[in-house]
Amino acid sequence: MKVVTFGELMIRLQPYNYERFVQADHLEFTFGGGEANVAVSLANYGLDAAYVTKLPAHAIGQAAVNSLRRYGVDTSMIVRGGDRVGIYFNEKGASQRGSVCIYDRAHSAIQESQPSDFDWDKIFEGVDWFHFTGITPALGPNLVETCKEACKAAKAHGVKISCDLNYRGKLWTREQAREAMTELCQYVDVCISNEEDAKDVFGIEAEAIIDRVGGGDSFGGGLIYALLNGKSTQDAVEFAVAASALKHTIEGDYNMVTVAEVEKLAGGDGSGRIQR
């Protein structure tokens, strides 16, 4: 089974430990992005996962590609071009202090890409599932159009589509999100959201759901894997929740867990004891 995800891969710069930005004199350098995180999870689960984006041809763009290759993600459909890789600065929260995320992603290669950069008919050959998030169309009208073309092509190829709403108020307004996502979600088979996203984008209010940075992407990857492998709806949700819970023990954007580890936690073993 093959899954394609599409979005922006960014540099993540983060103070060491739990320092605040104003304290830090060194920053950790890693890569991450919603759809890329899902692709890595799926590759770790043993699926054929491909990631699509646009990255510069320079050394930093190559480092971003390599960060996916090391985990077995297919990067052959990544378009090369543009001038910069988007950046986000992350300050990890502790106890009652929440995490802080500052974007520096304007004029990134993917933000300035055009729909014509991507050959979706070729990309979706032999593909079973397509995943994107609401972060990608939030980057601009050109990305809304690209996502729409991707969804249309996916449907033409009989590909299932999932979307994590992932509303980002720093990227677009609720009105812009509602207009774009209402159109895009008509193609979507599985829509993933927390209660805040559902309220912000569609005005739907629900009971509270807990979510943390990176946890939602791990939930999405777990859900896609479970549904593709024929698990019942309930079992798929339990697998996804377990994957998300385990992500909270992993540094960085990518979720470094196996199917066996997720199934062990989903089965009720949350002891965290050493495996001998």
Side-chain angles (χ1 to χ4, degrees):
M1 290 174 286
K2 184 170 184 178
V3 180
V4 167
T5 74
F6 171 62
E8 180 172 24
L9 184 59
M10 294 185 294
I11 297 168
R12 171 175 172 167
L13 297 178
Q14 176 173 282
Y16 284 84
N17 301 314
Y18 290 90
E19 290 181 338
R20 307 218 66 180
F21 289 133
V22 294
Q23 294 176 288
D25 56 10
H26 291 79
L27 298 175
E28 296 178 283
F29 177 101
T30 55
F31 293 95
E35 299 88 351
N37 301 341
V38 171
V40 170
S41 284
L42 294 172
N44 283 333
Y45 297 153
L47 294 187
D48 185 355
Y51 180 66
V52 179
T53 191
K54 185 174 184 179
L55 287 167
H58 56 49
I60 301 301
Q62 189 59 47
V65 173
N66 292 348
S67 76
L68 297 170
R69 284 179 173 171
R70 68 181 295 191
Y71 299 116
V73 175
D74 179 356
T75 60
S76 63
M77 297 297 180
I78 291 178
V79 176
R80 305 304 292 270
D83 296 322
R84 71 181 303 252
V85 181
I87 299 171
Y88 80 97
F89 298 86
N90 185 64
E91 180 185 274
K92 288 193 296 184
S95 189
Q96 286 77 27
R97 174 167 59 86
S99 296
V100 177
C101 179
I102 299 174
Y103 289 132
D104 176 19
R105 63 200 304 178
H107 306 293
S108 67
I110 186 68
Q111 188 186 49
E112 296 192 343
S113 68
Q114 297 301 317
S116 58
D117 286 331
F118 305 97
D119 185 349
W120 293 111
D121 285 326
K122 180 180 179 181
I123 290 168
F124 288 132
E125 287 179 4
V127 170
D128 300 285
W129 198 287
F130 173 56
H131 178 76
F132 70 106
T133 78
I135 299 172
T136 303
L139 298 177
N142 52 322
L143 270 303
V144 175
E145 184 61 31
T146 299
C147 288
K148 184 166 68 173
E149 290 192 4
C151 287
K152 287 182 177 179
K155 284 301 180 186
H157 285 262
V159 177
K160 292 282 188 183
I161 301 175
S162 59
C163 176
D164 189 333
L165 290 182
N166 265 345
Y167 174 71
R168 296 292 184 266
K170 293 181 180 179
L171 297 178
W172 58 356
T173 67
R174 290 181 178 86
E175 291 72 24
Q176 290 173 317
R178 186 166 301 168
E179 180 181 357
M181 298 311 296
T182 297
E183 182 174 15
L184 291 172
C185 281
Q186 66 180 309
Y187 303 100
V188 170
D189 299 289
V190 178
C191 183
I192 304 166
S193 75
N194 61 28
E195 84 288 352
E196 291 179 350
D197 293 338
K199 182 178 179 181
D200 286 333
V201 178
F202 294 128
I204 299 171
E205 298 201 30
E207 295 297 323
I209 300 169
I210 295 174
D211 190 16
R212 297 182 181 179
V213 175
D217 301 326
S218 300
F219 179 93
L223 189 67
I224 292 168
Y225 172 84
L227 292 175
L228 277 172
N229 280 274
K231 289 184 181 289
S232 69
T233 302
Q234 184 62 38
D235 287 345
V237 169
E238 290 178 2
F239 184 93
V241 169
S244 180
L246 285 173
K247 172 63 188 75
H248 295 156
T249 71
I250 308 293
E251 288 285 348
D253 279 50
Y254 300 153
N255 196 11
M256 301 289 97
V257 297
T258 66
V259 170
E261 290 169 331
V262 177
E263 289 185 334
K264 184 178 181 181
L265 180 57
D269 184 351
S271 67
R273 293 184 180 276
I274 297 172
Q275 298 177 24
R276 301 184 189 274

